[in-house]
Amino acid sequence: MKLITTMTLLAAALIIGGCGKDDADSSGAAAPAVPSAAAPAATAAAAPAAAAPAAMSADGPTRYIDHAQDEVEFMLKKSLAGWESLREDVSDSEQVAMIEKEIADLKSKLEAL
């Protein structure tokens, strides 16, 4: 009885799985799907923050802010925190010197922003 139920479920899954592919293949070469949320993010990242248009709403002008620099700053701060945490755990002088060099490099990049 268990074998018959398993075979029936397997046959149903194969039939359902096989039926769905005919519609997608009949259109010819399928283009890769681009999520709709990715398209506005790409255009927003390409436009500089100073040139962002201001739209009027009921509450006044609406500004569109580019957060690309914020993301870079966040990643630099996270990396800096990780290297400083690693420096506390390392006792080898060569590794400490390498870690200090990385920390100085990250701090200079952070100040350059």
Side-chain angles (χ1 to χ4, degrees):
M1 181 68 180
K2 193 173 186 181
L3 181 63
I4 294 173
T5 305
T6 305
M7 293 303 244
T8 306
L9 288 174
L10 182 61
L14 288 173
I15 291 171
I16 292 172
C19 291
K21 294 187 180 195
D22 292 336
D23 296 338
D25 292 340
S26 65
S27 64
V34 176
S36 61
T43 31
M56 292 301 288
S57 65
D59 299 326
T62 303
R63 294 186 321 159
Y64 299 101
I65 300 171
D66 183 21
H67 291 284
Q69 185 176 358
D70 296 338
E71 293 174 12
V72 172
E73 181 182 5
F74 174 77
M75 293 303 294
L76 287 172
K77 286 182 178 180
K78 290 289 280 185
S79 296
L80 184 62
W83 281 107
E84 288 175 346
S85 174
L86 184 63
R87 180 180 56 186
E88 295 171 1
D89 297 334
V90 174
S91 60
D92 184 28
S93 62
E94 289 180 16
Q95 289 180 346
V96 169
M98 190 234 1
I99 291 171
E100 291 289 335
K101 180 182 172 192
E102 288 291 330
I103 289 174
D105 184 44
L106 287 173
K107 283 184 180 180
S108 67
K109 287 180 183 178
L110 194 57
E111 289 175 3
L113 287 178

